[in-house]
C-alpha cells in the first residue's frame, strides 16, 4: 500500500506545472525561538549561529520569491502578447500590427503591483 502512495506522489509531482513546483521550492525559513534555545541550554555562540543561519535562509527565501515573481511576470506578459496575436489573427484587429521584435502589442497590461489588467474582447 505504501508503494502505491509513493508512485501516486511521483505521478502528481511529474504532472504539476513548473510554476507550481517553482513556488514550492521557496520555503519560508522557521524563525528561531529564543526561549526554546535558552531552555535547550545552548551557548551564546550557538544561539548566534542559529540566528545567523536563519538570516541567510531568509535572504535566500526572499531572493527565491523575487526570482519567481519576475519569471511569472515575464510569462504573463508573454501570454498577453499571445492573446493579442489571437485577436489580431482571428478577429482581424486593424490596430494590432507587430512591433519590430515580431511581437503584437498586447491589449492587456501588468501594472507595477503585478496586477494583470485584461481588456475585454470586442
Amino acid at each position: 500500500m505504501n508503494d502505491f502512495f509513493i508512485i501516486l506522489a511521483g505521478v502528481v509531482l511529474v504532472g504539476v506545472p513548473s510554476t507550481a513546483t517553482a513556488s514550492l521550492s521557496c520555503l519560508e525559513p522557521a524563525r528561531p525561538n529564543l526561549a526554546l534555545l535558552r531552555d535547550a541550554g545552548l551557548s551564546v555562540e550557538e544561539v548566534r549561529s542559529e540566528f545567523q543561519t536563519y538570516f541567510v535562509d531568509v535572504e535566500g527565501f526572499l531572493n527565491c520569491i523575487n526570482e519567481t515573481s519576475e519569471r511569472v511576470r515575464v510569462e504573463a506578459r508573454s501570454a498577453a502578447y499571445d492573446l493579442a496575436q489571437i485577436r489580431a489573427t482571428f478577429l482581424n484587429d486593424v490596430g494590432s500590427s507587430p512591433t519590430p521584435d515580431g511581437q503584437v502589442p498586447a491589449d492587456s497590461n501588468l501594472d507595477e503591483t503585478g496586477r494583470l489588467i485584461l481588456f475585454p474582447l470586442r
Side-chain angles (χ1 to χ4, degrees):
M1 188 67 158
N2 286 338
D3 291 337
F4 171 75
F5 289 114
I6 292 171
I7 293 171
L8 180 63
V11 169
V12 168
L13 287 177
V14 169
V16 173
S18 63
T19 54
T21 55
S23 64
L24 292 176
S25 66
C26 298
L27 298 175
E28 183 178 351
R31 182 180 184 268
N33 186 320
L34 184 57
L36 289 177
L37 295 174
R38 285 182 179 164
D39 288 344
L42 296 179
S43 69
V44 172
E45 190 56 40
E46 290 170 321
V47 170
R48 182 179 298 130
S49 176
E50 286 291 324
F51 276 92
Q52 286 175 341
T53 300
Y54 170 71
F55 292 129
V56 168
D57 292 347
V58 165
E59 184 177 1
F61 172 72
L62 293 174
N63 287 335
C64 180
I65 294 293
N66 288 336
E67 291 165 5
T68 301
S69 174
E70 180 59 28
R71 183 185 48 74
V72 169
R73 284 177 186 265
V74 168
E75 288 177 5
R77 283 188 185 101
S78 176
Y81 283 118
D82 290 346
L83 175 63
Q85 285 181 325
I86 289 169
R87 291 194 66 209
T89 302
F90 296 107
L91 299 177
N92 297 322
D93 284 345
V94 179
S96 296
S97 58
T99 60
D101 62 357
Q103 296 279 356
V104 175
D107 60 352
S108 53
N109 298 304
L110 277 176
D111 68 9
E112 290 305 310
T113 66
R115 186 177 57 221
L116 183 62
I117 302 168
L118 293 174
F119 297 102
L121 294 174
R122 290 176 220 162

